[in-house]
Amino acid sequence: MHTVVVGTAGVTASDVLAVARGGARVELSEEALAALAAAREVVEALAAKPEPVYGVSTGFGALATRHISPELRAQLQRNIVRSHAAGMGPRVEREVVRALMFLRLKTVCSGRTGVRPSVAQTMADVLNAGITPVVHEFGSLGCSGDLAPLSHCALTLMGEGDAEGPDGEVRPAGDLLAAHGIEPVALREKEGLALLNGTDGMLGMLLMALADLDTLYKSADVTAALSLEALLGTDKVLAPELHAIRPHPGQAASAANMLAVLKGSELTGHHQDDAPRVQDAYSVRCAPQVAGAGRDTMAHARLVADRELAAAVDNPVVLPDGRVESNGNFHGAPVAYVLDFLAIAAADLASIAERRTDRLLDKNRSHGLPPFLADDAGVDSGLMIAQYTQAALVSEMKRLAVPASADSIPSSAMQEDHVSMGWSAARKLRTAVDNLTRVVAIELYAAARAVELRTGLTPAPASRAAVAAAREAGVAGPGPDRFLAPDLAAADAFVRGGQLVAAVEAVTGPLA
């Protein structure tokens, strides 16, 4: 099994995906263990002094003014975890929780939190055992870290609350730890706080969304090319020299992908109307501009994610010179903004894909295709309601594109009076990515059928490969009306699993 070694300098996006989705094992480097021990010495020295230090010998948030005596400090750390594990609603997905735990471990291993090496090792042991804390949908405002979600994870380290075992069964966390020979953690000064203060949930969801969107944007370039081909559109608008004079890199990449898919097509550039088309509709002609803008948005989001992956987010933090200082680095604004930005881009990509699908189904705009791509229009409805489903998904994505980060709701007796709502931005982006996959799948379903209905002219080799692979995967072709939901589910699985991109790349080589 693949192993990820965590050091002091952060981790990569691929590390996070390997642990969250691939079940990779986690090991702590010798460098990380040494840094953990050194930072712990600093915290313990401060704890022995009479002067109050936030998070070490004081309460938290609006209660930070109280100095906590040494005999109550262990109870203080237990209490913050128990009281902050206040989430409600549906359970969060296993991959999100594993990303959440791993990213908190990443920051702990930076040597900036003051957590003991034994606590970090227990975090790694829980991940390696396949134990997943039960974390709930609601509870984070995305400001002083993803507090409630991280608290539910810390509760598991203490052997309390519920968790899911590697067999998928939810059991008391203490029983699961015992079954895997893991000793529950007895938290000491600052450790409870250090396990809760971080943007780890929203960052983990951002990284997974970026990975999914990378495949989806390539898929959308393929389906846009198939739609252009089915509509007998021109590929001249994809010429590199046209995109060079508006030098947005994402636009050039999308145009190049579409051009690669359409290479060798006999369908492009034809018309069946009495008067030739001078230009294709915007949804066809401007596909690279819209998809390209989304790609550039993703590039900015990756930059933010990489910076956050290199960060040590905690409050207070142990600095290299030994000072322990309060700060505001836990605020989720940088991550929240790009999560919202990606939801906007995804909604627009879905919107333009739906417009192409509608054009394929409309006999007045499809340039000779049968109404709704039906076998016997009137007797058969064809793909009429598939487009309804696509439109419903797009409408929902437009609502999900409303920025969560534009909102703020005060908490903690006005101590935390401006919050990021980054967790909420991440949760709605996950839904948006799911919906975008379905929208692209429906365009694929319609465009593949439309290409097959164009007789007498040969589609591009890459197009033929995409359609053939879809058919092999159970995505049915043209014919009389049938129960459509299973066909659309098969198209969704085909796109979601990356098979569409793989089929095309087998002909074109790697897409951008």
Side-chain angles (χ1 to χ4, degrees), residues 157-172:
L157 298 178
M158 292 166 51
E160 301 181 18
D162 292 327
E164 179 185 300
D167 59 358
E169 182 181 347
V170 175
R171 297 167 56 194

Side-chain angles (χ1 to χ4, degrees), residues 366-398:
S366 67
H367 309 286
L369 290 169
F372 301 106
L373 305 181
D375 187 64
D376 183 5
V379 174
D380 295 311
S381 295
L383 307 190
M384 179 190 295
I385 308 304
Q387 184 268 331
Y388 280 39
T389 299
Q390 195 183 40
L393 289 162
V394 171
S395 183
E396 173 70 7
M397 290 182 69
K398 290 175 182 177

Side-chain angles (χ1 to χ4, degrees), residues 56-141:
V56 176
S57 53
T58 71
F60 310 113
L63 302 176
T65 54
R66 179 177 172 182
H67 182 259
I68 307 299
S69 59
E71 66 273 12
L72 293 176
R73 290 175 188 169
Q75 180 181 340
L76 170 70
Q77 300 301 321
R78 290 194 302 271
N79 285 351
I80 189 176
V81 173
R82 290 168 175 164
S83 65
H84 285 45
M88 293 185 73
R91 284 180 57 195
V92 171
E93 303 85 357
R94 182 176 185 269
E95 66 178 13
V96 172
V97 180
R98 285 185 62 82
L100 179 73
M101 290 193 294
F102 178 65
L103 286 166
R104 184 77 322 228
L105 176 59
K106 176 269 299 183
T107 285
V108 164
C109 287
S110 69
R112 297 284 167 259
T113 68
V115 167
R116 286 170 294 155
S118 60
V119 176
Q121 186 59 58
T122 301
M123 296 170 75
D125 292 343
V126 169
L127 282 165
N128 292 338
I131 298 171
T132 307
V134 171
V135 174
H136 299 278
E137 181 86 16
F138 301 104
S140 174
L141 299 179

Side-chain angles (χ1 to χ4, degrees), residues 199-422:
T199 56
D200 308 294
M202 63 184 90
L203 175 59
M205 286 185 275
L206 171 60
L207 293 169
M208 287 184 280
L210 285 169
D212 293 339
L213 286 168
D214 184 66
T215 299
L216 273 175
Y217 270 83
K218 292 175 185 176
S219 300
D221 290 340
V222 173
T223 58
L226 285 169
S227 291
L228 183 151
E229 197 171 25
L231 291 166
L232 307 177
T234 178
D235 59 0
K236 290 182 179 180
V237 296
L238 305 174
E241 57 269 26
L242 292 174
H243 299 278
I245 62 175
R246 194 190 190 194
H248 294 289
Q251 175 180 323
S254 286
N257 285 348
M258 290 181 65
L259 203 57
V261 174
L262 293 169
K263 184 178 180 180
S265 175
E266 294 180 358
L267 289 171
T268 57
H270 292 275
H271 64 88
Q272 291 188 340
D273 300 329
D274 292 336
R277 277 175 287 159
V278 177
Q279 300 180 123
D280 292 310
Y282 281 15
S283 61
V284 177
R285 189 178 5 139
C286 301
Q289 284 77 10
V290 172
R295 285 169 170 270
D296 292 340
T297 301
M298 288 171 60
H300 173 61
R302 284 194 190 96
L303 177 63
V304 172
D306 286 344
R307 289 170 177 165
E308 199 74 1
L309 280 169
V313 177
D314 193 16
N315 180 48
V317 67
V318 181
L319 293 172
D321 61 7
R323 287 180 295 143
V324 176
E325 297 286 358
S326 293
N327 65 90
N329 285 340
F330 48 72
H331 200 286
V335 182
Y337 293 165
V338 294
L339 287 162
D340 280 332
F341 201 174
L342 289 173
I344 292 169
D348 200 37
L349 185 64
S351 179
I352 198 170
E354 184 275 331
R355 287 293 81 205
R356 289 191 295 265
T357 303
D358 181 68
R359 186 167 288 271
L360 290 167
L361 305 189
D362 184 350
K363 70 180 182 66
N364 296 312
R365 294 179 291 139
S366 67
H367 309 286
L369 290 169
F372 301 106
L373 305 181
D375 187 64
D376 183 5
V379 174
D380 295 311
S381 295
L383 307 190
M384 179 190 295
I385 308 304
Q387 184 268 331
Y388 280 39
T389 299
Q390 195 183 40
L393 289 162
V394 171
S395 183
E396 173 70 7
M397 290 182 69
K398 290 175 182 177
R399 292 188 289 273
L400 292 168
V402 176
S405 58
D407 185 29
S408 177
I409 188 163
S411 58
S412 192
M414 293 300 286
Q415 176 72 5
E416 298 169 11
D417 59 352
H418 183 83
V419 299
S420 77
M421 303 307 295

